[in-house]
Amino acid sequence: MSVQIHIKETNKVKGVVTNIQTETLSYLTQYFLKNKFRWLLPVILSPVTDPLWPDPRSSGIKPLSVRIYGNEMKLMHSMILHKQVAIALGLKRVFILSPNIRVEPPEKISTGRHAFEFTQLDFEIENATLDYILRFVEDLFVSLIAHIKKNCVEELEILGRDLRVPRRPFRKYYYTDLVEEHGESWEEIISKDNRDPVWVLSIPREFYDREDPQRPGLYRNYDLILPEGFGEVLSGGEREYQWERIKKRMLKDGLKPEDYGLYYDLARKNLLRPSAGAGIGIERLVRFIAGLRHIRDVQLFERIPGVIPRI
Ligand code: ASN
């Protein structure tokens, strides 16, 4: 294929995907604004970020850091701790279109779902519970898909995408049951086996996701897995907010509480508030809506593990 033809074909798909992405972002942001969220701007450099560990599915990556003004600053893994600080500062409902840098190992290129730079729509609600968030997200997904079907008819037709409006409530699985039944490939299996998105509950992971005080060993967190093999698109949880519990979890994970800046100051004075939230991977969501197999097909400026971009 000549370079020119290749560029033309690529442009066509990426142009169509950009329309879908625009419609998706427009719908999502309006939805959050209608639900009385405050729209925060992202931060990318911070002394504090998500350790992304422990998590049974993470690759154990470390945040990149740069030195500025004589101090070490990290590139954002996720703004989870900033969200909790925002809630502690009195903001009741917040969302951010948050760029995240996660330098995944090159092998992750084959999942089609990983990018070393991506954007998540990260949101947090004071006093929210797991049940509230599941309902909120189900409403959001069902109405978003219906909206896209109605407003991107031409785009979906060009892509040959037959998008189905999901039925709710979405099915729920427990993480430990899935691992017991399917082993490591549970995500792929349930993603292929279901026609609608499904929830995975109680994943043992980072210190900030709340462990059920009544039932230790159970975690009040959730992932949303898309159907048709598209895999995870959202993860979140209720949060730990009581200092004794946070301290115990951090120490268990080998983390130093005092490395956590203002989050640490607030936590240790017990000024964090109960909250719950989640982050939606925008490129993964658009990939699913467009029915494209690789995340590189939806990023105009590809940020794929192991591949150095030319722009
Ligand atoms: N955004 C996620 C959350 O709200 C955290 C993450 O991206 N690791 O829990």
Side-chain angles (χ1 to χ4, degrees):
M1 206 194 297
S2 82
V3 174
Q4 259 172 347
I5 294 174
H6 177 73
I7 286 178
K8 229 171 151 183
E9 283 302 304
T10 309
N11 277 351
K12 191 172 169 196
V13 173
K14 292 222 162 158
V16 166
V17 169
T18 306
N19 290 352
I20 292 178
Q21 179 176 285
T22 302
E23 200 59 43
T24 302
L25 287 171
S26 156
Y27 187 84
L28 290 175
T29 48
Q30 286 307 315
Y31 195 94
F32 279 86
L33 295 173
K34 262 192 273 163
N35 281 281
K36 304 268 182 280
F37 282 75
R38 300 286 93 189
W39 191 343
L40 307 187
L41 292 176
V43 289
I44 299 179
L45 276 182
S46 172
V48 173
T49 194
D50 187 340
L52 286 183
W53 189 90
D55 179 337
R57 280 182 304 153
S58 81
S59 348
I61 55 171
K62 298 248 169 353
L64 289 182
S65 55
V66 290
R67 271 190 93 72
I68 57 169
Y69 311 120
N71 273 285
E72 198 81 354
M73 300 275 275
K74 298 185 178 84
L75 271 73
M76 197 56 64
H77 262 169
S78 97
M79 282 181 67
I80 171 60
L81 303 173
H82 297 76
K83 289 195 299 179
Q84 281 194 266
V85 167
I87 298 289
L89 295 178
L91 299 171
K92 309 236 170 273
R93 298 176 150 229
V94 296
F95 79 96
I96 317 137
L97 283 166
S98 171
N100 291 177
I101 306 286
R102 299 184 185 176
V103 188
E104 299 285 355
E107 317 77 89
K108 290 267 176 153
I109 191 172
S110 62
T111 66
R113 295 191 292 114
H114 289 87
F116 64 79
E117 180 177 345
F118 65 93
T119 298
Q120 62 170 316
L121 194 161
D122 224 351
F123 66 94
E124 197 71 18
I125 305 176
E126 186 188 36
N127 285 325
T129 60
L130 176 145
D131 294 310
Y132 182 91
I133 301 286
L134 299 200
R135 240 178 302 129
F136 178 81
V137 170
E138 289 182 6
D139 281 345
L140 173 60
F141 266 72
V142 169
S143 64
L144 168 71
I145 302 295
H147 176 87
I148 296 287
K149 268 188 86 118
K150 208 166 128 217
N151 291 277
C152 295
V153 175
E154 212 178 302
E155 286 81 359
L156 295 173
E157 203 180 296
I158 293 171
L159 296 168
R161 177 65 166 145
D162 182 14
L163 198 56
R164 173 188 143 86
V165 179
R167 271 209 223 124
R168 44 171 317 191
F170 301 164
R171 202 166 159 184
K172 297 184 185 69
Y173 296 90
Y174 276 90
Y175 171 78
T176 41
D177 296 343
L178 289 173
V179 175
E180 205 176 289
E181 199 179 333
H182 305 294
E184 290 303 298
S185 23
W186 62 264
E187 181 175 341
E188 227 182 302
I189 294 171
I190 57 164
S191 180
K192 285 192 177 133
D193 279 0
N194 282 287
R195 294 187 73 202
D196 288 326
V198 297
W199 292 108
V200 177
L201 305 177
S202 188
I203 307 154
R205 58 187 177 202
E206 296 90 345
F207 69 88
Y208 51 75
D209 275 359
R210 189 160 173 81
E211 188 173 11
D212 195 319
Q214 264 77 55
R215 295 176 295 172
L218 271 185
Y219 295 86
R220 298 198 49 86
N221 60 17
Y222 32 80
D223 274 6
L224 186 68
I225 310 291
L226 293 168
E228 302 169 64
F230 284 96
E232 188 227 310
V233 68
L234 167 149
S235 75
E238 286 180 17
R239 314 303 179 185
E240 294 289 2
Y241 59 96
Q242 291 144 310
W243 173 234
E244 280 312 312
R245 296 175 59 87
I246 294 173
K247 189 164 92 183
K248 217 163 110 194
R249 295 275 302 275
M250 283 182 139
L251 295 177
K252 190 168 141 223
D253 295 348
L255 302 170
K256 289 198 201 109
E258 59 281 11
D259 288 349
Y260 283 80
L262 180 59
Y263 172 89
Y264 169 62
D265 295 343
L266 295 172
R268 123 187 109 117
K269 290 182 191 141
N270 268 319
L271 291 173
L272 293 179
R273 303 273 313 137
S275 68
I280 304 169
I282 296 297
E283 291 88 340
R284 288 182 177 186
L285 177 60
V286 172
R287 182 179 81 121
F288 167 70
I289 293 173
L292 292 166
R293 282 294 148 191
H294 205 284
I295 205 162
R296 68 168 10 135
D297 300 325
V298 305
Q299 283 187 311
L300 186 59
F301 304 113
E302 298 165 18
R303 294 294 186 263
I304 306 305
V307 181
I308 303 298
R310 304 212 56 227
I311 188 103

